[in-house]
Amino acid sequence: MTSVQLASNTQPLYSPISPNGQLPWWHHAIIYQIYPRSFQDTNGDGVGDLRGIQQRLPYLQALGIDAIWITPFYRSPMADFGYDVSDYCDIDPIFGTMADFDAMLATAHELGIRVVVDFVPNHSSDQHPWFIESRSSRDNPKRDWYIWRDGKDDGQPPNNWEAFFHGSAWTLDPTTDQYYLHLFLDEQPDLNWRNPELAQAMKQVLHFWLQKGVDGFRLDAITTMMKAPDFPDMPPDDPRFQGGLLLRLVDVHNYPDLHPILREFRQIVDSYPNQPILVGETGCADFNELMDFGGREALDEIHLPMNLKTPWFAWDAHVLKQAFTDYYTALSKGAVPSLVLGNHDQGRLASRYGVEHHRNANMLLLTLWGVPTMYYGDELGMLDGLILPEQRQDPFVGHDDYHGLGRDPGRTPMQWDATAYAGFSTVEPWLPVQTTFLSNVAEQEQDPSSTLNFCKRLIELRRSSPALHRGSIQFLETTEPSLLAYQREFEGIRNLIIINFADTSCTLDLSNMTDRVEFWLSSRMDVPTFDTVSSIFIRPYESLLLKLG
Ligand code: GLC
């Protein structure tokens, strides 16, 4: 048995800026991401819908989250399951009607839950009336709303860029014998934001949803909206050519004239009284670049540029400590960090990190400093689904194709109960229910030691402890490399979080930090026996949330 010392010989990485002031709602919110196709089906077609979300809002209220982010439910031919929008201001019939949306939004607000919707500005569907017009002739008034170029003299595409999904980023349209650009699927032509009429029309979309009362937008693929205007070929021997992806990111990512547009988006949301927010799908080269999307010093662009780097880090105490130290250190003054471990593109925590670690992943997500985004089903410890090749739906066949499985495994239906199709639907769902659906909401609600009850308790403690939702953060030194320990503090109240990444136990000596430890929560959902003076025992793969007296 090792005796482990913890030491706070480093400075806090963040100290509250306005310790006593009221914080904007989103500074301490928990956002819960809903993939609507897979949350709850109410009309028996095997696909989730808006009424289903409305029906399950009391569950989310009981879970304790503050806001939901719903991925696209707009009119769409569903080539990329809603990320190919053919009408930005209408609901796809598969998800219901505008009246269903309004009713869902009203119920959410009655229950104190804010609603963030997706906004897909980089591209529309090729079935959008704008694109149908645009492709009809070279002199159509909407021609310039998309990006059209002649091929090279030898008939090759205008340049050698490859789409993120597969193949050339250009498709030749025979009607006018020109190529259009699409960084994703052929069915997702990129919009030309340098055309003022297009920009105006898209900004009207933001107003449309804000006037309905939404509480913000998650901006899809926002970093690639502006491309190098001369569309240069990428030199084939460029060292940045990675993994077969023939896209030099400097040409399509974080281009300088993206930022005035983000500032305009910000001014638009800021002109509404309910404090709507912008959350960004902000892939980045490093944490320093991530700060660009928030607007650096002025913080006048995206409120929450999502930190999408952490889902890619190994589940390892040292790696994560370093990653979050780097992230917090890079943050602009006054910026609020975003915490993401999983989403509809990444798959599930319990599968990526391992079943023995999934509660600890939730512990990390909900006790670090920042705004956590929880992905539906991760509060149950849902696993990635087994998708047979003939059941595959995801069109993504990009460079690594998510290990050949696409993104379907992390998008299987929510597991509500043990009835057929897990209570998600009355018919065979669009993706098969994960085979372990016997672990579901109904069962876990009854089990005091379930992952669901663990997450609920954790959220309750986070909400009630200012140290956890707005306090400073300080990573601690430990003599045991498989432990991650950090302290959150607010007005003298200190919470200590310890996560054991290993299958071994140890005793922690806290005598140099406190003379009294108060137990708050264990990932085992029991009350461990330990000496409340200053030493505690941590079991294999356990995480502990404590208060230091
Ligand atoms: C974003 C979405 C992803 C979608 C892509 C194209 O990366 O998260 O699901 O396929 O944009 O819209």
Side-chain angles (χ1 to χ4, degrees):
M1 186 85 58
T2 40
S3 172
V4 176
Q5 305 282 327
L6 286 188
S8 55
N9 52 9
T10 50
Q11 287 300 307
L13 289 164
Y14 150 80
S15 301
I17 290 152
S18 55
N20 301 312
Q22 171 113 32
L23 295 177
W25 70 270
W26 57 275
H27 279 220
H28 48 82
I30 298 171
I31 302 175
Y32 183 96
Q33 180 190 352
I34 294 179
Y35 195 70
R37 294 183 71 86
S38 292
F39 201 57
Q40 178 68 61
D41 174 25
T42 58
N43 66 346
D45 62 358
V47 178
D49 43 51
L50 292 167
R51 284 188 181 196
I53 296 176
Q54 183 182 18
Q55 184 184 311
R56 294 299 186 176
L57 286 169
Y59 163 79
L60 296 174
Q61 187 193 36
L63 181 60
I65 54 96
D66 301 87
I68 52 176
W69 148 36
I70 315 175
T71 64
F73 45 77
Y74 313 113
R75 229 172 235 280
S76 164
M78 302 289 161
D80 189 19
F81 296 110
Y83 280 102
D84 49 321
V85 180
S86 57
D87 186 340
Y88 287 96
C89 298
D90 201 2
I91 309 291
D92 195 274
I94 206 158
F95 295 121
T97 63
M98 194 57 87
D100 294 340
F101 177 82
D102 293 339
M104 185 277 300
L105 183 66
T107 306
H109 285 168
E110 276 160 30
L111 297 178
I113 296 174
R114 308 211 188 217
V115 178
V116 172
V117 298
D118 228 294
F119 180 58
V120 189
N122 182 73
H123 46 267
S124 75
S125 159
D126 64 348
Q127 300 305 309
H128 196 296
W130 297 343
F131 188 71
I132 293 173
E133 273 193 56
S134 182
R135 81 188 325 177
S136 65
S137 73
R138 288 192 184 207
D139 53 12
N140 183 278
K142 293 206 171 53
R143 182 66 169 181
D144 187 45
W145 286 32
Y146 292 84
I147 298 168
W148 294 96
R149 290 289 181 281
D150 290 328
K152 290 186 173 164
D153 292 343
D154 59 0
Q156 291 301 304
N159 70 20
N160 63 2
W161 294 0
E162 283 190 359
F164 290 118
F165 279 13
H166 59 91
S168 169
W170 299 92
T171 291
L172 180 66
D173 194 38
T175 315
T176 55
D177 198 29
Q178 272 196 319
Y179 286 85
Y180 65 88
L181 180 73
H182 54 87
L183 294 186
F184 294 89
L185 294 174
D186 299 13
E187 295 92 336
Q188 293 170 303
D190 279 38
L191 292 160
N192 178 17
W193 278 83
R194 293 196 179 99
N195 178 299
E197 287 171 11
L198 175 278
Q200 192 51 34
M202 287 298 278
K203 284 184 263 174
Q204 282 312 316
V205 174
L206 295 177
H207 285 291
F208 176 86
W209 293 102
L210 288 164
Q211 280 159 15
K212 284 197 166 283
V214 302
D215 300 287
F217 300 95
R218 177 266 191 186
L219 307 173
D220 182 66
I222 190 68
T223 67
T224 60
M225 242 171 67
M226 309 306 284
K227 292 89 181 163
D230 53 342
F231 297 93
D233 255 331
M234 183 188 139
D237 54 356
D238 190 301
R240 285 164 295 191
F241 173 99
Q242 281 172 357
L245 182 72
L246 199 51
L247 254 187
R248 179 167 54 182
L249 287 174
V250 287
D251 294 330
V252 297
H253 164 84
N254 196 11
Y255 212 72
D257 59 353
L258 170 65
H259 295 278
I261 300 177
L262 294 183
R263 283 195 283 277
E264 280 186 70
F265 287 1
R266 179 61 178 262
Q267 284 158 13
I268 291 173
V269 293
D270 280 354
S271 68
Y272 286 77
N274 55 329
Q275 291 188 297
I277 55 165
L278 299 174
V279 180
E281 191 200 16
T282 36
C284 58
D286 54 36
F287 293 131
N288 183 43
E289 188 195 48
L290 188 57
M291 296 308 119
D292 280 354
F293 304 112
R296 297 249 160 224
E297 287 81 33
L299 297 182
D300 56 356
E301 298 185 28
I302 297 174
H303 297 75
L304 270 180
M306 273 188 170
N307 173 358
L308 296 168
K309 292 198 94 59
T310 38
W312 297 95
F313 290 124
W315 185 252
D316 172 277
H318 175 74
V319 169
L320 292 168
K321 179 180 174 185
Q322 192 56 52
F324 281 100
T325 302
D326 292 347
Y327 179 38
Y328 292 147
T329 309
L331 278 177
S332 306
K333 192 161 184 288
V336 178
S338 128
L339 304 171
V340 182
L341 292 180
N343 61 33
H344 65 294
D345 295 327
Q346 306 291 354
R348 304 222 161 259
L349 304 185
S351 291
R352 269 188 299 123
Y353 299 141
V355 173
E356 64 279 28
H357 297 293
H358 74 274
R359 290 192 187 190
N360 295 350
N362 279 305
M363 175 71 93
L364 186 80
L365 188 66
L366 292 161
T367 57
L368 281 172
W369 168 41
V371 176
T373 307
M374 301 179 74
Y375 184 49
Y376 84 96
D378 277 344
E379 76 276 23
L380 306 175
M382 268 176 67
L383 287 162
D384 281 347
L386 176 68
I387 310 291
L388 301 173
E390 63 272 22
Q391 293 169 321
R392 182 173 171 141
Q393 303 284 334
D394 185 19
F396 185 98
V397 282
H399 40 120
D400 74 349
D401 191 20
Y402 294 82
H403 314 294
L405 298 170
R407 298 169 295 178
D408 295 334
R411 298 176 173 181
T412 60
M414 180 67 173
Q415 295 164 195
W416 294 107
D417 60 39
T419 61
Y421 312 123
F424 163 74
S425 179
T426 49
V427 301
E428 180 90 45
W430 75 289
L431 277 179
V433 170
Q434 215 283 333
T435 45
T436 60
F437 76 93
L438 286 175
S439 177
N440 53 59
V441 171
E443 179 239 7
Q444 292 203 21
E445 276 175 342
Q446 298 308 312
D447 172 3
S449 64
S450 66
T451 300
L452 177 59
N453 279 318
F454 167 70
C455 288
K456 270 190 192 167
R457 183 74 188 124
L458 192 50
I459 292 173
E460 207 171 66
L461 290 168
R462 181 192 150 97
R463 291 179 81 92
S464 61
S465 169
L468 289 178
H469 65 246
R470 63 185 298 184
S472 65
I473 187 159
Q474 184 176 18
F475 287 104
L476 305 174
E477 301 299 323
T478 90
T479 49
E480 173 53 59
S482 59
L483 292 183
L484 177 65
Y486 47 98
Q487 176 175 289
R488 306 286 317 271
E489 179 166 6
F490 187 78
E491 293 184 339
I493 309 284
R494 288 191 293 163
N495 284 121
L496 174 66
I497 298 95
I498 308 162
I499 300 177
N500 184 2
F501 287 66
D503 60 356
T504 49
S505 48
C506 57
T507 301
L508 290 155
D509 174 4
L510 302 177
S511 54
N512 60 345
M513 296 191 60
T514 186
D515 52 14
R516 205 175 69 85
V517 179
E518 193 181 304
F519 169 76
W520 274 18
L521 187 66
S522 158
S523 56
R524 303 273 189 112
M525 287 301 275
D526 55 6
V527 180
T529 44
F530 60 76
D531 176 353
T532 55
V533 183
S534 58
S535 90
I536 57 165
F537 183 67
I538 187 161
R539 293 166 285 178
Y541 304 125
E542 184 175 20
S543 51
L544 293 171
L545 169 56
L546 309 166
K547 182 171 166 242
L548 301 184

